[in-house]
Amino acid sequence: MERHLKDCHLGIFDWNGTLQDDVWLIVESVRFIFKHFKTSMPSDLEQCYREEITANFKEFYYRHGIPRSVTPEEMITKRKEFLTKHGQSANLRNDTKKTLAICRGLGALQLGMVSAEITSVLKSTLARFDILGYFDKVWADVRNKHDAL
């Protein structure tokens, strides 16, 4: 891998489902939000979530029955509550630390992360896995990754 990265100057990573193996946990947080707001959810929730979710997450929920009177902040609060309670059960993907260490070892390669994850959740999880120090910059709460990049 080092041979392929030697001419790179910047590495950008995503978090959920990329470095952290947590799609199942995220789907459970979505289920928790639907249950909290007493809204029926799609029977194929995981597939719908994978196919439809974007950084404009509120539209996913509204499209599937969460009332528009529920604010994005209320949804984020419920998600944060769920992840605070259950987030410890998610793990890094295999070889995440090894990959980051190789990238960091290249010296001139700067590493960044762009994620829609809640800032406090992301930073505490990166610290828990002892990988926060690998990143030169972490952008969280990003709703439009294209603009962030």
Side-chain angles (χ1 to χ4, degrees):
M1 177 167 42
E2 297 92 342
R3 164 173 62 95
H4 299 291
L5 295 173
K6 67 180 180 176
D7 295 325
C8 293
H9 300 284
L10 177 65
I12 302 287
F13 291 91
D14 183 33
W15 180 242
N16 299 110
T18 303
L19 294 181
Q20 182 171 250
D21 186 12
D22 65 348
V23 172
W24 62 272
L25 178 68
I26 299 305
V27 170
E28 287 306 310
S29 75
V30 172
R31 192 178 315 280
F32 180 74
I33 291 168
F34 277 103
K35 285 180 181 178
H36 174 78
F37 293 108
K38 298 176 177 53
T39 305
S40 62
M41 62 192 95
S43 58
D44 55 345
L45 180 62
E46 183 172 350
Q47 181 176 345
C48 285
Y49 179 82
R50 287 176 181 257
E51 292 174 359
E52 299 175 26
I53 198 67
T54 66
N56 187 7
F57 69 93
K58 65 184 183 215
E59 290 306 318
F60 169 82
Y61 289 100
Y62 295 152
R63 189 169 43 254
H64 290 287
I66 297 282
R68 288 193 178 268
S69 59
V70 175
T71 67
E73 291 75 23
E74 290 173 298
M75 290 182 237
I76 289 170
T77 297
K78 295 318 292 178
R79 185 170 187 271
K80 188 174 179 179
E81 176 185 326
F82 181 87
L83 293 178
T84 298
K85 185 174 181 180
H86 301 285
Q88 300 282 335
S89 57
N91 293 307
L92 290 176
R93 287 200 179 279
N94 291 337
D95 293 331
T96 291
K97 277 190 175 182
K98 179 181 174 184
T99 300
L100 293 173
I102 289 169
C103 290
R104 180 54 63 211
L106 294 172
L109 181 65
Q110 291 193 342
L111 297 181
M113 180 178 298
V114 179
S115 177
E117 185 58 85
I118 301 163
T119 301
S120 61
V121 170
L122 178 61
K123 290 203 173 177
S124 68
T125 306
L126 292 173
R128 178 171 58 90
F129 287 128
D130 195 30
I131 61 173
L132 182 58
Y134 285 105
F135 296 97
D136 297 292
K137 180 71 176 165
V138 174
W139 294 272
D141 287 309
V142 175
R143 298 294 166 236
N144 186 323
K145 291 182 183 181
H146 183 267
D147 286 351
L149 292 171

